[in-house]
């Protein structure tokens, strides 16, 4: 499940002491039966943060099989990368670690 990938990635970033947060988006049902909509940029990544060198980090988590990156998510990550940040799609915590090592020397 994507939530399992997110949880593992959040824990990995915490252990590596990389400043980050889970960016909730979408709509959530309230206890009273109504809906609460989080306002955000369409396609914003699941995890946002700031790398030790000051670059912006955006991590879109997908399940290993069948996880589809939407056009809005692709555009968001392209914008992060085009502006000097590090945007990526990962399907496991191992992939996150590998990309951080390859792209950021972490």
């Amino acid at each position: 499940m994507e939530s399992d990938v997110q949880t593992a990635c959040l824990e990995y970033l915490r252990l590596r002491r990389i400043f980050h947060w889970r960016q909730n988006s979408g709509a959530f049902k309230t206890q009273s039966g109504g809906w609460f909509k989080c306002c955000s940029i369409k396609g914003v990544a699941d995890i946002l943060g700031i790398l030790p060198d000051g670059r912006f980090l955006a991590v879109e988590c997908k399940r290993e099989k069948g996880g589809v990156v939407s056009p809005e998510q692709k555009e968001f990550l392209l914008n992060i990368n085009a502006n000097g940040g590090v945007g990526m799609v990962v399907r496991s915590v191992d992939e996150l670690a590998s990309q951080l090592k390859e792209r950021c020397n972490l």
Side-chain angles (χ1 to χ4, degrees):
M1 295 180 68
E2 283 184 19
S3 62
D4 295 333
V5 176
Q6 289 173 8
T7 299
C9 289
L10 289 165
E11 179 66 9
Y12 178 82
L13 292 170
R14 185 188 70 76
L15 291 170
R16 295 296 312 268
R17 297 178 180 224
I18 296 172
F19 179 65
H20 68 283
W21 61 95
R22 166 76 174 97
Q23 182 64 43
N24 290 317
S25 62
F28 304 92
K29 195 165 189 170
T30 65
Q31 287 182 335
S32 62
W35 289 90
F36 175 77
K37 185 174 182 181
C38 294
C39 296
S40 184
I41 298 170
K42 196 164 185 178
V44 69
D46 297 314
I47 301 170
L48 303 177
I50 301 172
L51 294 165
D53 64 6
R55 288 185 290 168
F56 189 81
L57 174 66
V59 181
E60 180 61 39
C61 300
K62 294 294 178 189
R63 63 184 180 269
E64 193 169 341
K65 293 182 182 177
V68 177
V69 182
S70 73
E72 294 86 4
Q73 291 168 331
K74 288 177 186 176
E75 183 178 351
F76 182 84
L77 295 173
L78 284 171
N79 282 322
I80 297 301
N81 288 314
N83 286 285
V86 177
M88 62 181 76
V89 176
V90 300
R91 298 180 189 289
S92 70
V93 70
D94 292 335
E95 191 172 352
L96 173 63
S98 176
Q99 285 199 43
L100 286 174
K101 182 177 181 182
E102 181 181 309
R103 296 177 65 186
C104 308
N105 294 322
L106 293 176

